[in-house]
């Protein structure tokens, strides 16, 4: 009888231990529920409509997003860090003239380019950012250098450029950032400005910022964002992209986030951090948190844009409240690229 009771107690204890272990195991593994690595990217949100897109243009964007995903995936698959995956993927997007970041950045009112970028590590909440730079070829790499090689988080203008040049970051002449397409859209907007500046303005319609969030085999999340800001910006305006908590945020406990959209709203609503907080304090999943902030709060406020979100279990959300958002993700089971609303 005693033996029988002991046996039953042992069985009960074994069951309890197993359950406790399952609850603790947030580390990504390679079963269906927990992909071992994942990366999600965006190339900006805005009025991106199929009817305004040529086949050629659609193909060019799809190919670029696909190539960007492959760069990050190769690093993650081989055991590289999410920091490397995010930096190298964003470098590729910065070097492409298709996106409003690096080469392809939009023009300011004074016909210059001023670039912003930020990067954040989810394991220790360390972060780095640069703002208003125009001689750094790849601002996301400069942001990483601020994170890793300085005791600061955010450097701007000439100081940021001086710091970058001291750390082997590739510097370029400001003319490197010239592209005819972006110059023409500045001209168009300025012409409109002298007549009527309205909601039909390009500024509110296209946000071509780039961003990436990655989860590596060690379970670390890193998020990064890089942009040329908004066309026709004045007075050294800086948007949300280099502001930690607004355009970028990462915390292994919750998620990594990179945003794109009308920066002033993303700053005021601390969008990236709000999404993380909705998960931390509101117990929401990535989809619910993204919908709450992007599709409810921002919509009520009149702020256009979107975000990419990735948690430690590889769950991904890509909410946006515009007509479209260049976006995609990859994990061991899936590769998805999308432009328009579903
Ligand atoms: N969020 C960026 C900014 O306001 C613009 C964008 O996402 O396209 O600077």
């Amino acid at each position: 009888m005693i033996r029988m009771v002991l046996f039953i107690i042992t069985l009960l204890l074994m069951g309890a231990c197993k359950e406790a272990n399952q609850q603790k195991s947030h580390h990504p593994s390679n079963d269906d529920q927990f992909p071992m690595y994942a990366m999600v990217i965006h190339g900006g949100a805005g009025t991106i409509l199929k009817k305004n897109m040529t086949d050629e243009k659609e193909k060019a964007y799809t190919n670029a997003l696909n190539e960007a995903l492959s760069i990050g995936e190769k690093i993650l698959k081989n055991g590289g860090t999410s920091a490397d995956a995010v930096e190298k993927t964003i470098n590729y997007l910065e070097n492409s003239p298709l996106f409003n970041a690096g080469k392809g950045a939009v023009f300011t009112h004074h016909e210059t380019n001023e670039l912003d970028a930020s990067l954040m590590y989810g394991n220790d909440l360390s972060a780095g950012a640069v703002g208003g730079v125009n001689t750094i070829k790849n601002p996301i790499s400069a942001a990483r250098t601020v994170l890793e090689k300085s005791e600061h988080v955010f450097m701007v203008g000439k100081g940021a450029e001086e710091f970058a040049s001291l750390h082997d970051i590739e510097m370029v002449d400001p003319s490197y950032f010239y592209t005819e397409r972006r110059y023409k859209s500045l001209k168009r907007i300025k012409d409109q400005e002298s007549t009527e500046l309205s909601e039909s303005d390009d500024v509110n319609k296209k946000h071509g910022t780039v961003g990436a969030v990655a989860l590596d085999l060690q379970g670390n999340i890193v998020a990064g964002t890089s942009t040329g800001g908004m066309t026709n910006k004045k007075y050294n305006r800086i948007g949300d992209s280099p502001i930690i908590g607004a355009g970028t945020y990462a915390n292994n406990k919750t998620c990594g986030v990179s945003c794109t959209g009308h920066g002033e709203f993303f700053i005021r609503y601390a969008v990236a951090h709000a999404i993380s907080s909705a998960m931390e304090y509101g117990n929401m999943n990535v989809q619910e948190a993204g919908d709450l902030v992007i599709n409810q709060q921002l919509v009520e406020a009149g702020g256009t844009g979107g975000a990419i979100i990735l948690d430690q279990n590889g769950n991904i959300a890509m909410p946006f409240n515009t007509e479209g958002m260049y976006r995609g993700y990859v994990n061991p089971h899936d590769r998805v690229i999308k432009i328009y609303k579903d």
Side-chain angles (χ1 to χ4, degrees):
M1 180 65 184
I2 290 177
R3 270 196 193 167
M4 182 78 154
V5 171
L6 280 175
F7 180 61
I8 291 170
I9 290 174
T10 312
L11 275 183
L12 287 173
L13 280 174
M14 277 169 64
C17 283
K18 196 173 161 208
E19 202 175 306
N21 276 337
Q22 277 172 350
Q23 280 174 0
K24 257 195 304 186
S25 114
H26 287 297
H27 196 78
S29 62
N30 196 20
D31 60 35
D32 280 350
Q33 228 181 336
F34 303 124
M36 54 203 292
Y37 65 80
M39 188 172 74
V40 56
I41 60 173
H42 71 76
T47 312
I48 309 165
L49 290 165
K50 178 114 184 125
K51 66 175 170 47
N52 299 336
M53 189 74 95
T54 61
D55 283 352
E56 207 179 282
K57 210 167 144 199
E58 187 177 292
K59 212 165 156 201
Y61 276 101
T62 307
N63 286 347
L65 293 171
N66 206 17
E67 180 60 27
L69 284 178
S70 298
I71 290 169
E73 181 178 34
K74 195 167 166 211
I75 293 170
L76 295 169
K77 217 183 195 164
N78 292 325
T81 63
S82 40
D84 282 345
V86 167
E87 182 191 0
K88 301 298 171 217
T89 299
I90 292 184
N91 283 164
Y92 172 80
L93 296 168
E94 285 175 333
N95 294 344
S96 161
L98 290 175
F99 303 97
N100 171 20
K103 178 93 186 164
V106 297
F107 279 85
T108 68
H109 184 75
H110 294 298
E111 306 190 352
T112 58
N113 307 96
E114 293 174 358
L115 291 79
D116 309 326
S118 65
L119 188 74
M120 183 162 184
Y121 293 178
N123 62 335
D124 60 1
L125 306 193
S126 56
V130 295
V133 297
N134 76 344
T135 58
I136 296 175
K137 185 180 177 203
N138 293 108
I140 197 71
S141 300
R144 184 173 183 180
T145 309
V146 172
L147 185 160
E148 290 183 352
K149 308 228 164 94
S150 87
E151 56 194 7
H152 306 300
V153 169
F154 197 0
M155 297 182 190
V156 300
K158 293 284 160 247
E161 291 173 345
E162 185 187 342
F163 177 79
S165 67
L166 294 172
H167 287 90
D168 277 347
I169 293 290
E170 189 173 350
M171 308 302 285
V172 290
D173 187 83
S175 61
Y176 164 80
F177 297 107
Y178 177 90
T179 56
E180 203 184 327
R181 171 180 166 221
R182 298 298 190 194
Y183 188 66
K184 277 189 178 156
S185 55
L186 173 70
K187 288 282 177 213
R188 224 175 26 243
I189 286 173
K190 276 184 161 178
D191 288 348
Q192 276 176 21
E193 211 176 31
S194 53
T195 48
E196 25 80 66
L197 181 67
S198 68
E199 279 298 292
S200 68
D201 173 19
D202 254 18
V203 171
N204 289 321
K205 296 218 147 187
K206 272 187 219 128
H207 309 294
T209 296
V210 306
V213 185
L215 167 71
D216 61 27
L217 295 175
Q218 292 74 43
N220 287 321
I221 299 173
V222 167
T225 311
S226 183
T227 189
M230 291 175 83
T231 310
N232 201 26
K233 62 186 181 180
K234 295 173 189 156
Y235 312 118
N236 301 117
R237 174 263 190 197
I238 287 184
D240 61 310
S241 309
I243 297 181
I244 297 302
T248 304
Y249 196 72
N251 184 343
N252 281 2
K253 268 197 339 200
T254 53
C255 62
V257 184
S258 168
C259 301
T260 176
H262 196 157
E264 281 65 15
F265 288 86
F266 282 71
I267 295 173
R268 291 192 284 121
Y269 285 80
V271 167
H273 187 262
I275 290 171
S276 168
S277 292
M279 293 179 69
E280 188 167 5
Y281 309 120
N283 239 343
M284 293 187 181
N285 62 33
V286 287
Q287 197 69 50
E288 294 163 342
D291 279 346
L292 172 72
V293 182
I294 302 291
N295 289 317
Q296 290 181 43
Q297 289 180 344
L298 271 190
V299 168
E300 276 164 31
T304 53
I308 49 171
I309 314 166
L310 167 64
D311 74 10
Q312 214 187 24
N313 294 332
N315 296 307
I316 286 168
M318 307 185 287
F320 55 96
N321 62 31
T322 50
E323 296 297 338
M325 180 165 86
Y326 297 109
R327 62 201 188 278
Y329 66 82
V330 66
N331 64 35
H333 315 288
D334 243 349
R335 173 182 283 248
V336 168
I337 289 173
K338 288 185 177 179
I339 298 178
Y340 316 104
K341 267 190 186 147
D342 282 331

